[in-house]
Amino acid sequence: AAHSLYITDEVVEENETSDFKDIYVSILKNTKKHRGGIKVGHFLLADKTYASPLGDFDKSKVIGYVACFNPHDDSPIHVSLNNEQLPFLTDYEYDNSCHSDITYDKEEDDFDGYKHTYDIANADDYSANLFKAVDHCINYSTEGTNKGDWYLGATGEMIAIAKNLIFINAAIMIVGIGEKFK
Protein backbone atom coordinates (compact mmCIF):
# COMPACT_ATOMS: atom_id res chain seq x y z
CA ALA A 1 0.00 0.00 0.00
CA ALA A 2 1.16 3.53 -0.68
CA HIS A 3 1.13 6.45 1.71
CA SER A 4 0.33 9.97 0.57
CA LEU A 5 1.78 13.10 2.09
CA TYR A 6 -0.05 16.28 1.19
CA ILE A 7 1.90 19.49 0.80
CA THR A 8 -0.53 22.31 -0.03
CA ASP A 9 -2.13 21.10 -3.28
CA GLU A 10 0.67 18.71 -4.21
CA VAL A 11 0.76 15.06 -3.24
CA VAL A 12 4.02 13.25 -2.63
CA GLU A 13 3.51 9.53 -3.13
CA GLU A 14 5.81 7.15 -1.31
CA ASN A 15 5.60 3.38 -1.09
CA GLU A 16 5.33 1.86 2.36
CA THR A 17 9.04 1.07 2.58
CA SER A 18 10.04 4.69 1.95
CA ASP A 19 11.16 6.95 4.72
CA PHE A 20 9.58 10.32 5.51
CA LYS A 21 12.50 11.45 7.68
CA ASP A 22 14.09 13.56 4.93
CA ILE A 23 10.78 15.31 4.23
CA TYR A 24 10.18 15.91 7.95
CA VAL A 25 13.71 17.22 8.53
CA SER A 26 13.54 19.59 5.56
CA ILE A 27 10.13 20.92 6.60
CA LEU A 28 11.14 21.48 10.22
CA LYS A 29 14.59 22.90 9.51
CA ASN A 30 13.47 26.51 9.75
CA THR A 31 10.47 26.21 12.06
CA LYS A 32 10.34 27.93 15.40
CA LYS A 33 11.36 25.95 18.45
CA HIS A 34 9.08 26.31 21.42
CA ARG A 35 9.55 25.63 25.11
CA GLY A 36 12.28 23.08 25.68
CA GLY A 37 12.80 22.63 21.92
CA ILE A 38 9.35 21.08 21.47
CA LYS A 39 8.00 21.32 17.93
CA VAL A 40 4.80 20.48 16.12
CA GLY A 41 4.87 16.76 15.38
CA HIS A 42 6.67 15.79 18.57
CA PHE A 43 4.96 13.01 20.49
CA LEU A 44 3.57 13.34 24.00
CA LEU A 45 4.48 10.37 26.17
CA ALA A 46 2.55 9.01 29.17
CA ASP A 47 5.11 10.50 31.58
CA LYS A 48 4.41 13.98 30.10
CA THR A 49 7.74 14.19 28.30
CA TYR A 50 8.14 14.70 24.57
CA ALA A 51 9.88 12.68 21.89
CA SER A 52 10.92 13.73 18.41
CA PRO A 53 9.71 11.39 15.67
CA LEU A 54 13.38 11.18 14.69
CA GLY A 55 14.41 9.95 18.15
CA ASP A 56 14.46 6.59 19.86
CA PHE A 57 11.57 6.12 22.30
CA ASP A 58 9.05 3.55 23.50
CA LYS A 59 6.17 3.82 21.02
CA SER A 60 3.83 2.08 23.45
CA LYS A 61 4.08 5.13 25.75
CA VAL A 62 2.83 7.63 23.14
CA ILE A 63 -0.54 9.15 24.10
CA GLY A 64 -0.70 12.09 21.69
CA TYR A 65 1.24 14.57 19.63
CA VAL A 66 1.89 18.29 19.55
CA ALA A 67 -0.49 19.69 16.95
CA CYS A 68 0.06 23.44 17.45
CA PHE A 69 0.95 26.03 20.06
CA ASN A 70 -1.36 28.44 21.79
CA PRO A 71 -0.35 31.90 20.49
CA HIS A 72 -1.50 33.51 23.75
CA ASP A 73 0.92 31.63 26.05
CA ASP A 74 3.02 29.43 23.69
CA SER A 75 1.83 26.24 25.41
CA PRO A 76 1.68 23.07 23.32
CA ILE A 77 -1.75 21.82 22.27
CA HIS A 78 -1.97 18.05 22.10
CA VAL A 79 -4.17 15.77 20.05
CA SER A 80 -4.84 12.24 21.23
CA LEU A 81 -3.71 9.34 19.07
CA ASN A 82 -7.20 7.96 19.53
CA ASN A 83 -9.39 9.78 16.99
CA GLU A 84 -13.15 9.42 17.42
CA GLN A 85 -15.72 10.87 15.06
CA LEU A 86 -18.72 11.68 17.20
CA PRO A 87 -21.47 14.25 16.71
CA PHE A 88 -21.23 17.40 18.78
CA LEU A 89 -25.01 17.58 19.19
CA THR A 90 -27.22 14.64 18.23
CA ASP A 91 -30.54 16.52 18.30
CA TYR A 92 -30.20 19.83 16.47
CA GLU A 93 -33.76 20.77 17.37
CA TYR A 94 -32.89 20.63 21.07
CA ASP A 95 -33.39 24.05 22.65
CA ASN A 96 -30.76 24.24 25.35
CA SER A 97 -28.64 26.62 27.33
CA CYS A 98 -25.46 24.54 27.08
CA HIS A 99 -22.88 26.99 25.85
CA SER A 100 -19.74 28.83 26.79
CA ASP A 101 -19.98 32.54 27.50
CA ILE A 102 -16.77 33.46 25.66
CA THR A 103 -17.12 35.48 22.47
CA TYR A 104 -14.49 36.42 19.91
CA ASP A 105 -14.27 38.84 17.04
CA LYS A 106 -12.15 36.38 15.10
CA GLU A 107 -12.56 32.63 15.25
CA GLU A 108 -8.78 32.22 14.81
CA ASP A 109 -8.25 33.75 18.26
CA ASP A 110 -10.39 31.18 20.08
CA PHE A 111 -8.00 28.89 21.95
CA ASP A 112 -10.34 28.18 24.85
CA GLY A 113 -11.52 24.70 23.88
CA TYR A 114 -11.04 23.46 27.43
CA LYS A 115 -13.29 26.19 28.86
CA HIS A 116 -15.92 25.70 26.15
CA THR A 117 -16.00 21.92 26.66
CA TYR A 118 -16.42 22.13 30.42
CA ASP A 119 -18.88 25.05 30.28
CA ILE A 120 -21.11 22.78 28.19
CA ALA A 121 -20.51 19.73 30.39
CA ASN A 122 -21.33 21.69 33.55
CA ALA A 123 -24.51 23.34 32.22
CA ASP A 124 -27.73 22.48 34.06
CA ASP A 125 -29.34 20.90 31.00
CA TYR A 126 -26.25 19.01 29.77
CA SER A 127 -27.00 15.52 28.48
CA ALA A 128 -24.27 13.01 27.61
CA ASN A 129 -26.61 11.39 25.07
CA LEU A 130 -27.08 14.68 23.22
CA PHE A 131 -23.47 15.88 23.40
CA LYS A 132 -21.61 12.68 22.54
CA ALA A 133 -18.33 14.36 21.53
CA VAL A 134 -18.22 16.41 24.73
CA ASP A 135 -19.04 13.33 26.80
CA HIS A 136 -16.29 11.34 25.11
CA CYS A 137 -13.71 14.06 25.79
CA ILE A 138 -14.58 14.61 29.46
CA ASN A 139 -14.49 10.87 30.13
CA TYR A 140 -11.41 10.08 28.04
CA SER A 141 -8.18 9.07 29.76
CA THR A 142 -4.92 7.41 28.83
CA GLU A 143 -1.92 6.13 30.70
CA GLY A 144 -0.62 9.28 32.39
CA THR A 145 -3.87 11.28 32.03
CA ASN A 146 -7.18 11.33 33.85
CA LYS A 147 -10.78 12.02 33.01
CA GLY A 148 -11.07 15.77 32.66
CA ASP A 149 -7.64 16.28 31.08
CA TRP A 150 -8.91 16.19 27.47
CA TYR A 151 -11.29 18.52 25.64
CA LEU A 152 -12.75 19.48 22.26
CA GLY A 153 -10.66 21.96 20.35
CA ALA A 154 -11.97 25.49 19.83
CA THR A 155 -12.11 27.08 16.37
CA GLY A 156 -8.70 28.75 16.69
CA GLU A 157 -7.14 25.49 17.78
CA MET A 158 -8.70 23.63 14.85
CA ILE A 159 -7.50 26.27 12.38
CA ALA A 160 -3.95 26.12 13.80
CA ILE A 161 -3.98 22.32 13.65
CA ALA A 162 -5.16 22.39 10.03
CA LYS A 163 -2.24 24.67 9.17
CA ASN A 164 0.15 22.09 10.65
CA LEU A 165 -1.15 18.93 9.00
CA ILE A 166 2.03 18.50 6.97
CA PHE A 167 4.16 18.30 10.14
CA ILE A 168 1.70 16.14 12.04
CA ASN A 169 1.15 13.60 9.27
CA ALA A 170 4.86 13.37 8.42
CA ALA A 171 5.64 12.62 12.08
CA ILE A 172 2.91 9.99 12.26
CA MET A 173 4.19 8.32 9.08
CA ILE A 174 7.80 8.32 10.30
CA VAL A 175 6.94 6.58 13.55
CA GLY A 176 4.13 4.44 12.17
CA ILE A 177 1.69 4.96 15.03
CA GLY A 178 -1.62 6.76 15.16
CA GLU A 179 -3.87 7.80 12.32
CA LYS A 180 -3.11 10.58 9.87
CA PHE A 181 -5.05 13.68 10.81
CA LYS A 182 -7.53 14.67 8.11
Side-chain angles (χ1 to χ4, degrees):
H3 296 289
S4 295
L5 179 63
Y6 294 87
I7 305 172
T8 62
D9 292 333
E10 297 178 37
V11 177
V12 177
E13 291 288 341
E14 296 284 338
N15 66 38
E16 65 184 26
T17 60
S18 294
D19 194 351
F20 286 94
K21 288 182 183 177
D22 292 337
I23 295 170
Y24 184 79
V25 169
S26 67
I27 291 169
L28 289 184
K29 202 176 226 181
N30 297 315
T31 60
K32 178 183 172 189
K33 285 186 182 180
H34 291 271
R35 292 183 189 165
I38 301 166
K39 291 187 174 189
V40 170
H42 280 192
F43 290 96
L44 174 64
L45 306 179
D47 65 0
K48 303 291 179 27
T49 60
Y50 295 92
S52 165
L54 304 174
D56 186 26
F57 58 94
D58 183 353
K59 293 179 186 178
S60 71
K61 297 297 181 187
V62 175
I63 61 172
Y65 53 84
V66 177
C68 63
F69 289 86
N70 186 323
H72 306 294
D73 64 9
D74 207 34
S75 61
I77 295 176
H78 309 104
V79 171
S80 167
L81 285 183
N82 203 7
N83 292 324
E84 295 288 333
Q85 294 185 8
L86 299 167
F88 174 74
L89 182 62
T90 57
D91 181 358
Y92 293 102
E93 300 298 319
Y94 180 67
D95 183 24
N96 67 71
S97 63
C98 292
H99 67 279
S100 180
D101 60 359
I102 298 175
T103 60
Y104 289 90
D105 293 333
K106 293 182 180 179
E107 291 82 9
E108 302 90 33
D109 294 335
D110 185 355
F111 278 76
D112 285 323
Y114 186 89
K115 180 176 182 351
H116 298 317
T117 300
Y118 290 93
D119 281 352
I120 293 168
N122 293 320
D124 290 339
D125 60 347
Y126 171 75
S127 166
N129 289 332
L130 290 173
F131 294 91
K132 291 187 184 293
V134 171
D135 185 64
H136 177 75
C137 289
I138 65 174
N139 288 300
Y140 183 74
S141 65
T142 65
E143 180 183 350
T145 67
N146 300 306
K147 289 180 180 181
D149 288 344
W150 296 90
Y151 63 93
L152 286 173
T155 55
E157 291 164 323
M158 293 293 105
I159 292 167
I161 291 169
K163 290 178 180 177
N164 290 326
L165 288 181
I166 185 75
F167 306 112
I168 295 164
N169 288 337
I172 288 170
M173 286 185 226
I174 289 168
V175 177
I177 57 174
E179 296 176 30
K180 290 191 307 182
F181 201 89
K182 299 174 185 174

